[in-house]
Amino acid sequence: MYNNKDKRSYGGAVYHPTPSAPSLDITINQNGGGGSPSPYATSRRQPPMHAPPPPPTYSSSHYSEAMWIDRFPRRENRGMFRLCLVQTLLSAVVLGGGIWCYRSTPAYCPYYSAIWTASIFLLNSVVGSLAAKIGSPNLYIAHMTLSLVSIMLCVVSAILSARNWDLVGTYQHPRIDRNSAFCLIGQHDAPRISHIFSHMDKYDFGQCLFELKVGVAVNSVQFVVSVIVAFLNMLSFFMCLRRACSCNCF
C-alpha cells in the first residue's frame, strides 16, 4: 500500500517509489539466556598459519672444515684411513709405555723394543693415512712396504715382550741382578731371604714395587698391541694392494 505522500510527480507524470528492502537485524544473545544460540551467531576462529622457519645457512669455510675428513679420492679409501687411525692410536700407546718404562725402570724393558718398534708402527700408520687421503701410487707402495716390515717387527716385539714378562722374578733375567729385585722372590731362596731381612733398612721397597708394576704392565700391553697391530697391518696391506692394482701401479 502506498500513501499519497509517497507519490511524486515529475513533469506531470506520477511515479511511485520502489519499495525498500526489508532489513534483517540479528541479535546475538551474549548474556547466556535460555534461548538456543543461532548456528550462525558465532564462528570458530582458526589460529593463524605461521610459515616454517628458513633452513639454516652455513658459510663455505664452515662446510669445508666439517667435510675435510670425508674427502677421499675413492670411497673405499675411507676404511683404509680409519684403519690407519686405529694403528696410530695403538702405536702411540706402545711408544708412550716404552718411554715410561725406559725412564722409570729400564731393567724391565731391555733392548728398548717398545720404543723402536712402536716408532716404525707410527710411521707406517702416518704414511697409510696420507696414502688414503691423497691417493698417490708412490704412497700406496711405500705403505705396503712398511706394512710388511711392521708385521715382522710385530713378531719380534711380541717375542721380546713375552720373554721379558716371563723372566720377571727369575735369576735368568739379563738386566736384573739377584740382589737388586729384593721386593720379588720368584722361588724359595733361604740365603737371600735372610740377607733381605738383615738389611731391610737399606732397601726402598716402595720404589722396587713400583718398578715391578711398570715393567709387567708395559710388557703385557706391548705383547697384546703387537698382536693386534700385526693383524691390522695385514688388513691394511691387502686394502692398499687393491688400490695399487686398480690404478695400475705395477
Side-chain angles (χ1 to χ4, degrees):
M1 297 293 296
Y2 297 98
N3 300 325
N4 294 331
K5 295 180 180 180
D6 296 328
K7 297 179 181 180
R8 292 182 176 87
S9 62
Y10 296 93
V14 178
Y15 295 93
H16 298 277
T18 59
S20 59
S23 60
L24 180 62
D25 296 333
I26 299 175
T27 303
I28 301 175
N29 187 5
Q30 298 181 352
N31 297 325
S36 59
S38 173
Y40 303 100
T42 59
S43 61
R44 184 182 300 273
R45 298 184 61 185
Q46 298 294 333
M49 300 298 293
H50 297 281
T57 57
Y58 300 94
S59 61
S60 59
S61 60
H62 176 78
Y63 180 79
S64 60
E65 291 177 1
M67 299 300 294
W68 178 87
I69 196 171
D70 291 332
R71 292 181 179 178
F72 296 96
R74 297 182 60 178
R75 182 180 301 176
E76 295 82 1
N77 287 23
R78 183 179 291 106
M80 179 180 172
F81 180 75
R82 293 174 180 175
L83 188 65
C84 291
L85 289 182
V86 176
Q87 295 181 20
T88 303
L89 178 61
L90 295 177
S91 302
V93 170
V94 176
L95 181 61
I99 296 175
W100 184 26
C101 189
Y102 169 73
R103 294 174 60 89
S104 301
T105 170
Y108 286 96
C109 303
Y111 314 115
Y112 315 114
S113 59
I115 297 178
W116 52 269
T117 55
S119 300
I120 301 299
F121 300 159
L122 189 60
L123 176 63
N124 181 36
S125 61
V126 171
V127 173
S129 301
L130 294 177
K133 293 294 294 183
I134 299 175
S136 173
N138 294 330
L139 290 176
Y140 285 146
I141 297 175
H143 181 54
M144 290 171 57
T145 304
L146 289 175
S147 296
L148 293 177
V149 174
S150 298
I151 292 173
M152 293 185 292
L153 289 180
C154 285
V155 176
V156 175
S157 177
I159 293 175
L160 291 178
S161 59
R163 181 175 179 271
N164 294 337
W165 186 89
D166 185 65
L167 290 177
V168 172
T170 63
Y171 295 151
Q172 290 79 25
H173 201 283
R175 298 289 300 276
I176 300 178
D177 186 64
R178 175 186 179 186
N179 295 326
S180 60
F182 45 85
C183 61
L184 177 64
I185 301 178
Q187 58 188 3
H188 181 72
D189 190 346
R192 187 181 180 207
I193 295 175
S194 177
H195 174 77
I196 292 175
F197 275 114
S198 60
H199 299 83
M200 290 182 62
D201 56 336
K202 299 179 181 179
Y203 297 141
D204 187 357
F205 284 88
Q207 180 65 23
C208 179
L209 185 60
F210 172 76
E211 295 177 357
L212 174 65
K213 292 178 180 179
V214 172
V216 173
V218 171
N219 285 285
S220 301
V221 172
Q222 181 182 353
F223 176 81
V224 174
V225 172
S226 298
V227 175
I228 297 176
V229 171
F231 177 73
L232 296 180
N233 279 321
M234 293 177 61
L235 292 178
S236 183
F237 173 81
F238 287 112
M239 293 175 67
C240 191
L241 182 61
R242 291 184 57 186
R243 307 296 175 272
C245 293
S246 61
C247 64
N248 298 323
C249 297
F250 299 104

